[in-house]
Amino acid sequence: MLTIALSKGRILEQTLPLLKKAGLEIADDELNSRKLILDTNLDDVKVIIIRATDVPVFVQHGAADMGIAGKDVLLEHGANNLFEVLDLGIAKCKLMVAAKSSDHLNENTLKVATKYVNSAKRYFEKQGQSCEIIKLYGAMELAPVVGLSHCIVDLVDTGNTLKANGLIPLDHIEDISSRLVINSASFKTKNTQIKTWISAIENNL
Ligand code: PRT
Ligand code: MG
């Protein structure tokens, strides 16, 4: 049995067609059910659909053999016990620093609102910029507007969300897309099966 962990939300929409091309299908009534473990068209493959940030956790602990998660989530989580084997090129965006203007980055200690605490810390450390990270779980764009922070670190796609809140993208931290990850123990014990799936997905990208 092979268990695949998928991120619900925007990544899922782009993942399902990709898996279908590789030969794995989940029926609509399974997807629309309240079940957490979904059957597929194949007897030896099950799928779990969980929050994006939980995917590396399930894969790391071997509760799922494979998973699909955003690079943003993987960078934040760290890569213990899992291999990132494929860039799927879906759910693309950029991790960026944004503020009301570049003047707002001229601070001795920069106040940064973000849910990407580790990535933000790493980035500003590399820049030699001292910073204070304010952890938020959503609506990052609000922080500079109400004076909670000087800037934010968040994902940017079209830039419309920043624009709507009077913010501009300033520094580019990382290009983000979704990645296929494999539990390191599963990669050994289920090597043939997993390699077949990696090739099937890769050949249909
Ligand atoms: O809902 P839940 O808390 O479970 O998780 P979530 O809201 O993080 O999940 P979801 O479904 O939004 O998917 C998140 C994943 O999609 C991320 O981990 C990324 O890998 C990927 N992704 C790709 C994005 C975006 N593009 C994106 N634009 N995730 C979020 N955004 C948000 C961004 O945070 C900002 O608020 O969209 C807004 C910016 O979009 P633009 O187009 O206005 O620039
Ligand atoms: Mg969401």
Side-chain angles (χ1 to χ4, degrees):
M1 181 59 68
L2 196 78
T3 304
I4 307 179
L6 302 181
S7 302
K8 64 179 176 187
R10 72 177 82 204
I11 293 179
L12 185 64
E13 283 167 37
Q14 298 180 51
T15 300
L16 293 176
L18 207 139
L19 291 177
K20 191 171 177 179
K21 279 195 266 173
L24 187 73
E25 284 187 66
I26 309 164
D28 282 340
D29 56 340
E30 281 291 302
L31 282 170
N32 297 330
S33 76
R34 313 204 59 156
K35 285 165 63 178
L36 297 173
I37 303 181
L38 306 185
D39 292 324
T40 68
N41 60 320
L42 304 174
D43 286 340
D44 59 349
V45 183
K46 292 217 182 306
V47 162
I48 56 177
I49 297 181
I50 52 186
R51 287 187 75 148
T53 46
D54 291 337
V55 168
V57 181
F58 277 69
V59 175
Q60 174 186 348
H61 292 280
D65 302 297
M66 320 200 316
I68 292 176
K71 181 69 180 175
D72 52 321
V73 166
L74 296 172
L75 284 169
E76 199 53 28
H77 179 83
N80 299 330
N81 297 327
L82 56 83
F83 300 135
E84 184 185 311
V85 292
L86 215 51
D87 182 347
L88 301 174
I90 56 169
K92 283 187 180 175
C93 57
K94 293 180 166 63
L95 186 66
M96 298 200 72
V97 181
K100 285 197 270 188
S101 74
S102 58
D103 294 348
H104 289 85
L105 299 186
N106 298 326
E107 300 286 340
N108 285 332
T109 299
L110 197 60
K111 280 198 231 171
V112 184
T114 189
K115 71 172 174 186
Y116 299 102
V117 171
N118 298 326
S119 299
K121 246 188 225 158
R122 228 178 291 135
Y123 174 74
F124 287 113
E125 250 165 40
K126 220 165 60 187
Q127 305 289 310
Q129 167 72 56
S130 146
C131 68
E132 177 194 333
I133 307 284
I134 301 167
K135 163 100 188 185
L136 294 179
Y137 292 88
M140 261 74 78
E141 297 83 5
L142 191 58
V145 180
V146 297
L148 178 62
S149 69
H150 299 116
C151 66
I152 63 172
V153 166
D154 196 12
L155 301 177
V156 182
D157 179 17
T158 61
N160 290 340
T161 307
L162 290 181
K163 204 169 174 189
N165 291 288
L167 301 178
I168 49 175
L170 294 166
D171 299 337
H172 173 267
I173 301 179
E174 207 87 47
D175 283 325
I176 304 297
S177 56
S178 296
R179 312 295 163 98
L180 181 66
V181 291
I182 314 286
N183 172 269
S184 50
S186 302
F187 196 70
K188 291 198 195 93
T189 56
K190 304 182 185 179
N191 188 267
T192 312
Q193 197 183 9
I194 286 174
K195 275 199 172 147
T196 305
W197 277 113
I198 296 173
S199 310
I201 294 169
E202 189 172 22
N203 293 335
N204 284 286
L205 285 180

